[in-house]
Amino acid sequence: MPDIESGVAEVLSVLLGRNVPSGGNVGKDSCPAWDSMKHVEIVMALEARFGISFAPGDIPLLVGQAELVRKIRELTAATSVGRHNG
């Protein structure tokens, strides 16, 4: 699995058309290119990249790089625990 921070930064860089540093905090409020359609693209790209699924209720809350990294860590930890216990 790719490093989460660098993977999120790479996806955001590609989709937002700007350099997004790993560990940065680019967000919907600070980036005009991050509109509602781009948000859907970001979510779908990150789900595919990390093999996860965000809960529908979480998607509107994931409007920044830090929130995305935190949630992906949470989901991948849960998936990892499930694999070891299952």
Side-chain angles (χ1 to χ4, degrees):
M1 172 163 314
D3 172 64
I4 293 171
E5 282 192 14
S6 61
V8 169
E10 184 178 319
V11 167
L12 292 176
S13 292
V14 169
L15 293 177
L16 297 175
R18 63 183 271 187
N19 182 33
V20 175
S22 182
N25 198 21
V26 171
K28 193 171 184 175
D29 290 339
S30 65
C31 181
W34 192 329
D35 60 16
S36 58
M37 289 302 295
K38 193 59 69 177
H39 187 68
V40 172
E41 288 180 57
I42 290 166
V43 166
M44 291 174 63
L46 291 171
E47 286 179 331
R49 174 143 190 170
F50 292 101
I52 57 168
S53 292
F54 295 113
D58 287 337
I59 293 171
L61 306 175
L62 301 172
V63 294
Q65 188 173 357
E67 292 94 344
L68 289 164
V69 168
R70 180 192 53 75
K71 191 59 169 178
I72 293 168
R73 279 195 179 127
E74 181 183 306
L75 292 171
T76 56
T79 302
S80 177
V81 169
R83 281 192 210 126
H84 295 297
N85 291 336

